[in-house]
């Protein structure tokens, strides 16, 4: 194997993401969700009332991808597009009662998947990993 590659942080984080997302997608399949649609649903259930643009920015996805994800969740009755009180030209994505029920089920599946993916780490190590990844993912723009 490529020993140098296996020591590169960018490769390791990409591989860890791939492994974790793959496991989560398998778990979410029973609810006909994937990690991306779960992420949109999670944010819709957060009561932050995110706009589609805010979803795209937070999830680092192209706005057209967000439109497709929201369209699918809307077809399922899990979310609605509502007028944004902050900007009449914009819509916020809000979870419906059905969406909240779906999210609760999906959340449990994702947590179980995460337990499997992080099974080699102690509770303390998981906390450290989460804190380090947050610092990387949400650092202020330079």
């Amino acid at each position: 194997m490529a020993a140098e590659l296996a020591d590169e942080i960018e490769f390791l984080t990409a591989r860890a993401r791939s492994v974790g997302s793959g496991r989560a997608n398998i778990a979410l399949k029973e609810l006909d969700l994937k990690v991306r649609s779960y992420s949109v649903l999670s944010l819709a259930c957060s009561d932050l009332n995110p706009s589609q643009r805010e979803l795209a920015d937070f999830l680092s996805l192209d706005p057209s991808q967000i439109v497709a994800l929201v369209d699918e969740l809307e077809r399922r009755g899990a979310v609605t597009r509502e007028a944004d009180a902050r900007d009449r030209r914009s819509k916020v994505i809000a979870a419906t009662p059905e969406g909240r029920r779906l999210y609760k089920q999906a959340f449990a599946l994702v947590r179980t998947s995460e337990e499997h993916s992080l099974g080699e780490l102690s509770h303390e190590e998981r906390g450290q990993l989460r804190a380090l990844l947050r610092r990387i993912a949400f650092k202020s723009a330079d």
Side-chain angles (χ1 to χ4, degrees):
M1 284 291 193
E4 288 178 4
L5 182 61
D7 283 336
E8 292 179 18
I9 290 175
E10 294 297 336
F11 170 76
L12 291 169
T13 55
R15 181 160 168 84
R17 177 181 179 268
S18 178
V19 169
S21 292
R23 283 190 178 124
N25 280 333
I26 290 168
L28 290 167
K29 188 173 184 171
E30 72 181 68
L31 299 176
D32 196 27
L33 290 173
K34 291 191 174 185
V35 170
R36 286 184 173 184
S37 53
Y38 166 80
S39 298
V40 170
L41 182 60
S42 175
L43 291 169
C45 288
S46 71
D47 295 324
L48 294 173
N49 298 321
S51 68
Q52 288 184 173
R53 169 64 62 191
E54 290 168 330
L55 289 170
D57 290 345
F58 188 81
L59 298 174
S60 294
L61 294 174
D62 186 87
S64 65
Q65 293 173 305
I66 294 297
V67 169
L69 293 166
V70 171
D71 285 349
E72 178 58 31
L73 289 169
E74 193 172 40
R75 274 192 290 279
R76 294 181 66 174
V79 301
T80 59
R81 289 176 168 97
E82 300 176 358
D84 186 344
R86 303 165 293 183
D87 180 354
R88 292 182 306 175
R89 298 166 296 170
S90 183
K91 299 285 187 190
V92 296
I93 309 307
T96 64
E98 175 58 31
R100 290 184 184 282
R101 282 189 290 278
L102 179 62
Y103 173 68
K104 188 175 180 180
Q105 293 174 310
F107 179 83
L109 293 171
V110 168
R111 287 299 157 250
T112 299
S113 175
E114 183 179 282
E115 280 295 317
H116 184 66
S117 294
L118 301 178
E120 295 296 315
L121 302 179
S122 69
H123 181 72
E124 182 179 287
E125 289 171 326
R126 292 175 196 200
Q128 291 171 339
L129 177 61
R130 192 170 278 112
L132 292 169
L133 290 173
R134 263 194 215 109
R135 282 175 53 194
I136 293 167
F138 299 112
K139 77 174 189 157
S140 299
D142 295 324

